[in-house]
């Protein structure tokens, strides 16, 4: 998976992943009204508007980007109908040759993690195999340690899938636990070492492991230092755009060949039509233009 | 919620929560076969067998226990149908006056956490309110810090719900990050202090906050020390039974009035019929007997 992701990035010359994190506020009124009319003010209506919105965003951007990252919380909120929208979004993205990173941030003890691993390994119902979730990679939370990660690593190996494990997250309160100092070294450095160890046997042709790390764009110095500390770990980088980071902050997250990281933007792309006061009917075209802008911004700093 | 939970514990004289974590292996063959016959080897069949299994367990145990804790991973694995089974299980448990702790262990940045908070605050679709998830409390992961917890705390306050935040988990690798030492103090002590701080304004009539902690039964000394360190924080305690801990290990997790903790057992109860070689048709009766055994075991150590 990591090699496929890097090839996709090189083909599109764009280390961008579009976050598909729909909210009711994000959906243009004409779609909202049509869906409410058809299904009432129900989770089914929301599910349908999310699918329609995401499909348009994908239609207008898939040629330009290597990957999408749906945030499952936005869908899970609406129960089974929401999860259906998540699955249909993934299916549509994969039809368009996009790598799908499921932003699920799961983390639990071994027997439970084995159930969550269905996200990347599919399910077996009495001999009947179904790839129900279809993500190429998922994000995971490391607080519980290796036994909650192991079932996923097995799936990465056997099914060519990937992981991005939270190391240093982009949010303000990430300092509360992640930056506690142990003999001068922050907790996230220890997490980084664990991620390195967990991924050491799954390194692909570009020198990067299938077991990657989430490293926020909003902590530039820490990101630069982590790039040097764990050179075989690919970074999924949230925090660009809406959360405040720019391309300049990110040059140290990449290696000399311009690979090593993929930068996420969600609202910056999917809500570009609102930010720029563009007619809501043109929301997908506005997203396309925002993707091009972001790509050019990153290309200004990173040689690909 | 925390007061309702404690009252339920005192009424039933039983600080036990039954974990409803179904797997295909757990389901008696006669249920499995009926469901496969009706729905084929599909997620729908699995969903229906989980609902049927859980309902029977609830029917045979609800008079004896204060709460149930469905582990969402087991349901999520099977996609939207699985999530439906999770919701139907919760609905049924609540009809039987059980407190429902959704074991979801979510944790993310603020805007995403606000979406996950639907678990305890319901959803608002353009003015139409739906309490879609209905959990009374959920478990959360603290690795990202306060901004991922805050939306849930707001819901706890406004809707009388509760949280259990991972502090020291029951699994073997919990030591990898949670036990790193900062000037001699483990990371989980810092997490405990955060949980205490986050919950200080939500303390109920028994002296316990709506913001509780997950503290594993398998680390007795650490649990005893945490009880003293955060006396207003209620503990959700996994690790009894199948994971190896006994009632003797747990007396220090409770206060002098026998409250302060609720102990989970999942497989120890729901798979009792297998462990004891009881006819599979009597699986729910076997679960009832396992609940009585566990209650008596705990009562031997804890005055309620």
């Amino acid at each position: 998976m990591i090699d496929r992701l890097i090839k996709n990035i090189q083909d599109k010359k764009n280390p961008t992943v579009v976050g598909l994190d729909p909210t009711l506020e994000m959906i243009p009124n004409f779609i909202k009204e049509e869906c409410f009319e058809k299904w009432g003010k129900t989770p089914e209506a929301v599910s349908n508007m999310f699918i329609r919105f995401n499909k348009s965003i994908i239609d207008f951007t898939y040629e330009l980007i290597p990957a999408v990252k749906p945030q499952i919380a936005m869908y899970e909120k609406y129960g089974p109908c929401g999860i259906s929208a998540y699955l249909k979004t993934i299916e549509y993205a994969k039809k368009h040759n996009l790598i799908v990173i499921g932003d699920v941030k799961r983390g639990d003890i071994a027997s439970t993690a084995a159930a969550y691993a269905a996200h990347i390994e599919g399910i077996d119902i009495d001999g009947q195999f179904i790839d129900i979730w279809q993500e190429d990679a998922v994000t995971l939370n490391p607080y519980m340690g290796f036994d909650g990660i192991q079932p996923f690593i097995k799936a990465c190996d056997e099914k060519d899938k990937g992981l991005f494990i939270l190391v240093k997250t982009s949010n303000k309160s990430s300092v509360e636990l992640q930056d506690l100092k142990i003999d001068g070294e922050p907790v996230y450095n220890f997490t980084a070492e664990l991620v390195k160890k967990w991924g050491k046997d799954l390194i692909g042709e570009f020198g990067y492991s299938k077991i990657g790390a989430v490293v926020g764009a909003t902590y530039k110095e820490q990101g630069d230092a982590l790039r040097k500390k764990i050179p075989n770990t690919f970074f999924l980088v949230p925090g660009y755009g809406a959360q405040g980071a720019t391309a300049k902050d990110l040059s140290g997250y990449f290696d000399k060949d311009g690979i090593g990281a993929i930068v996420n933007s969600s609202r910056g792309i999917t809500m570009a039509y609102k930010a720029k006061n563009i007619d809501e009917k043109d929301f997908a075209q506005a997203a396309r233009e925002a993707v091009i802008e972001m790509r050019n911004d990153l290309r200004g700093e990173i040689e690909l």
Side-chain angles (χ1 to χ4, degrees), chain A:
Chain A
M1 169 271 164
I2 191 66
D3 292 339
R4 285 186 285 129
L5 176 63
I6 293 170
K7 276 176 199 154
N8 252 7
I9 290 172
Q10 290 182 329
D11 283 354
K12 313 275 174 91
K13 293 194 185 305
N14 188 9
T16 296
V17 51
V18 173
L20 296 173
D21 311 349
T23 61
L24 277 178
E25 295 66 43
M26 193 178 284
I27 306 295
N29 286 315
F30 74 98
I31 296 180
K32 227 186 291 192
E33 280 159 18
E34 277 178 40
C35 290
F36 282 149
E37 193 157 320
K38 192 156 179 193
W39 290 283
K41 291 182 178 175
T42 61
E44 206 179 354
V46 177
S47 170
N48 277 283
M49 60 183 85
F50 283 6
I51 295 166
R52 196 162 146 195
F53 182 79
N54 289 344
K55 281 187 173 177
S56 293
I57 298 284
I58 291 169
D59 287 340
F60 276 72
T61 60
Y62 78 94
E63 293 170 313
L64 302 168
I65 56 171
V68 290
K69 180 176 76 64
Q71 165 53 259
I72 198 172
M74 304 306 178
Y75 306 84
E76 180 175 315
K77 176 173 177 176
Y78 297 97
C81 287
I83 297 293
S84 283
Y86 179 78
L87 297 183
K88 282 178 185 152
T89 297
I90 292 172
E91 204 180 359
Y92 197 74
K94 288 181 72 86
K95 272 192 196 144
H96 289 75
N97 293 316
L98 294 167
I99 297 281
V100 177
I101 302 169
D103 199 354
V104 303
K105 297 192 180 72
R106 303 305 189 234
D108 214 303
I109 64 166
S111 55
T112 305
Y116 278 135
H119 278 277
I120 55 170
E121 69 175 2
I123 56 174
D124 177 341
I125 302 179
D126 198 39
Q128 179 73 44
F129 176 77
I130 310 174
D131 190 3
I132 194 164
W133 289 92
Q134 295 192 54
E135 293 112 319
D136 295 293
V138 290
T139 55
L140 293 183
N141 187 309
Y143 189 71
M144 298 177 83
F146 182 64
D147 49 24
I149 306 288
Q150 192 174 23
F152 288 89
I153 293 179
K154 196 169 148 276
C156 286
D157 189 17
E158 290 170 4
K159 310 242 167 175
D160 188 26
K161 300 280 181 145
L163 297 178
F164 293 97
I165 296 170
L166 302 184
V167 170
K168 173 65 187 161
T169 59
S170 60
N171 59 318
K172 218 170 151 183
S173 342
S174 74
V175 298
E176 291 176 352
L177 286 179
Q178 296 165 30
D179 287 29
L180 289 174
K181 296 285 187 310
I182 293 143
D183 298 329
E185 276 217 57
V187 165
Y188 67 76
N189 267 356
F190 290 83
T191 313
E193 287 294 338
L194 290 172
V195 171
K196 179 182 165 181
K197 188 173 82 179
W198 297 338
K200 72 175 167 34
D201 296 328
L202 295 172
I203 293 176
E205 56 179 289
F206 296 94
Y208 286 100
S209 172
K210 289 176 184 171
I211 315 303
V214 174
V215 179
T218 44
Y219 296 99
K220 177 180 163 38
E221 271 174 51
Q222 292 89 327
D224 292 354
L226 282 166
R227 176 70 296 149
K228 294 190 184 93
K229 189 179 177 61
I230 46 173
N232 303 110
T233 305
F234 204 88
F235 291 174
L236 169 62
V237 184
Y240 175 94
Q243 287 181 58
T246 66
K248 279 208 180 9
D249 297 324
L250 293 173
S251 54
Y253 288 55
F254 293 81
D255 66 22
K256 62 176 176 32
D257 300 318
I259 55 174
I262 188 161
V263 183
N264 180 73
S265 177
S266 304
R267 285 162 284 170
I269 288 166
T270 49
M271 291 188 86
Y273 78 99
K274 285 205 171 183
K276 293 180 183 167
N277 272 317
I278 291 168
D279 186 324
E280 61 165 29
K281 300 247 182 215
D282 298 323
F283 72 97
Q285 177 60 29
R288 182 183 172 88
E289 283 158 21
V291 163
I292 293 171
E293 242 173 67
M294 180 174 171
R295 182 194 65 186
N296 295 348
D297 184 33
L298 289 170
R299 274 198 199 158
E301 299 293 326
I302 301 133
E303 199 71 49
L304 249 172

